[in-house]
Amino acid sequence: MDETLGTALRRWRDRLSPLDVGRPSRPGRRAVGLRREELADLAGLSVDYVVRLEQGRATSPSAQVVASLARALQLQPVERDHAYRLAGLLPPQEGTISTHVPAGVQRMLARLGEFPVGVFSADWTLLSWTPGWTVLMGDPSALNHVERNLVRTVFAPGSRRLAAWPVIHDGEALNAALVADLRTALVNYPRDHGLIGLVAELRSASAEFTRLWDEGAVGPHVSARKTVVHPQVGEVMCDCDVLTVPGCDVRLVVYTVAAGSVDAEKLDFLRVTNGVPADGSSDMAGPPRSGRSTTA
């Protein structure tokens, strides 16, 4: 009997432990592997849609849905490609940016859940994040794939902010490094139409991006001090580091605070309250005191 996408999803779901994805495994749990509800939450999909996929009633998922499921299920590249084929789609081709997050990186993130960590692709699209990222920066799950691109958020006028509230820092070094990253990505992924379109869009929309691009801006990402203006606790001063993963083109953006500091107390408070303002607002309580405000 030929395998279907639904049977493959159930098999891959059953082999994952809740601990592998940072979820508690409580005594008396009868479910083998992940529940459908847990997979749906990890992939950013509705439970009903996951059920219909597994039952074969939804037969034409988009490439973005398959990519999200592959990340949530921690599939190896060959398994991810198999999932695309079962969905009637072509696997990602060479010369295009991969949205695959290695299983080892995902297991590491599951154990670093309290730290604010975001995982970005080569074009700086947010692929995955920890609960700690959500409580500090706001929940990005309401943003679509286009809106989760950090470079677009920084340079394109009127774009939605990747962070739900302002982040104050010296933007000059960051902006030059982001443009340099896109230039490198275009060399590495010359057939990625999304990347080509992003560069063309930003050259048309942003004089600053065009200037940095035409000047051949270069610059590595360095450790930076940033201040997150959170509507619940005010300013939280963090150190931000960008880490690369050998063998793949994803990068981790990690926020940390000094142990025992006032900022650490604020972050601990946000973890307890899940970082949600009492009124549910995503707007900051007041203007930042100084500095340049961007998005991440």
Side-chain angles (χ1 to χ4, degrees), residues 1-295:
M1 181 177 179
D2 292 338
E3 184 175 44
T4 65
L5 179 61
T7 57
L9 291 177
R10 289 194 298 272
R11 172 165 51 83
W12 289 326
R13 178 168 59 81
D14 287 345
R15 76 180 184 185
L16 272 183
S17 163
L19 296 176
D20 290 330
V21 297
R23 302 297 174 94
S25 183
R26 295 183 174 84
R29 178 186 173 107
R30 290 182 293 179
V32 177
L34 293 182
R35 294 188 175 96
R36 290 190 179 102
E37 294 83 357
E38 293 167 329
L39 174 58
D41 184 47
L42 289 166
L45 304 171
S46 71
V47 178
D48 177 68
Y49 188 62
V50 170
V51 171
R52 289 190 287 119
L53 281 172
E54 290 195 353
Q55 294 179 347
R57 293 187 289 118
T59 58
S60 301
S62 68
Q64 185 177 340
V65 165
V66 176
S68 297
L69 288 167
R71 285 195 297 272
L73 291 166
Q74 301 184 6
L75 302 186
Q76 297 297 326
V78 66
E79 295 172 324
R80 175 206 60 193
D81 291 351
H82 184 54
Y84 273 87
R85 294 188 182 97
L86 290 175
L89 300 167
L90 287 175
Q93 302 299 301
E94 291 186 7
T96 60
I97 292 175
S98 174
T99 60
H100 178 69
V101 180
V105 172
Q106 296 194 55
R107 287 191 289 268
M108 179 180 66
L109 292 177
R111 288 159 176 78
L112 292 175
E114 68 177 34
F115 290 94
V117 183
V119 182
F120 290 81
S121 59
D123 65 350
W124 280 99
T125 297
L126 182 64
L127 302 176
S128 183
W129 56 89
T130 61
W133 178 281
T134 299
V135 300
L136 179 64
M137 311 298 288
D139 188 358
S141 61
L143 303 177
N144 62 37
H145 183 77
V146 170
E147 293 169 332
R148 291 180 190 173
N149 184 271
L150 174 61
V151 191
R152 178 179 283 110
T153 300
V154 168
F155 289 103
S159 61
R160 293 184 65 177
R161 295 183 300 190
L162 187 55
W165 22 85
V167 180
I168 307 167
H169 61 95
D170 177 8
E172 294 302 323
L174 172 64
N175 291 6
L178 290 175
V179 174
D181 283 346
L182 281 198
R183 185 185 300 279
T184 300
L186 198 58
V187 173
N188 294 335
Y189 306 102
R191 295 194 294 275
D192 192 290
H193 296 294
L195 176 60
I196 295 170
L198 175 63
V199 172
E201 171 193 338
L202 295 179
R203 283 180 61 84
S204 174
S206 169
E208 181 183 11
F209 181 89
T210 301
R211 175 181 62 80
L212 290 170
W213 186 272
D214 291 343
E215 290 176 354
V218 295
H221 291 275
V222 297
S223 296
R225 183 65 56 87
K226 300 187 180 184
T227 301
V228 179
V229 187
H230 196 286
Q232 194 171 3
V233 297
E235 296 185 353
V236 184
M237 186 175 294
C238 308
D239 290 307
C240 178
D241 293 277
V242 179
L243 311 178
T244 57
V245 180
C248 68
D249 222 351
V250 299
R251 61 286 311 268
L252 279 59
V253 175
V254 184
Y255 284 86
T256 57
V257 295
S261 65
V262 173
D263 299 296
E265 293 176 358
K266 291 180 178 180
L267 193 54
D268 286 339
F269 178 79
L270 291 175
R271 293 188 187 109
V272 172
T273 61
N274 289 323
V276 178
D279 61 357
S281 171
S282 293
D283 297 326
M284 68 174 181
R289 290 198 294 263
S290 62
R292 179 170 180 172
S293 173
T294 55
T295 56

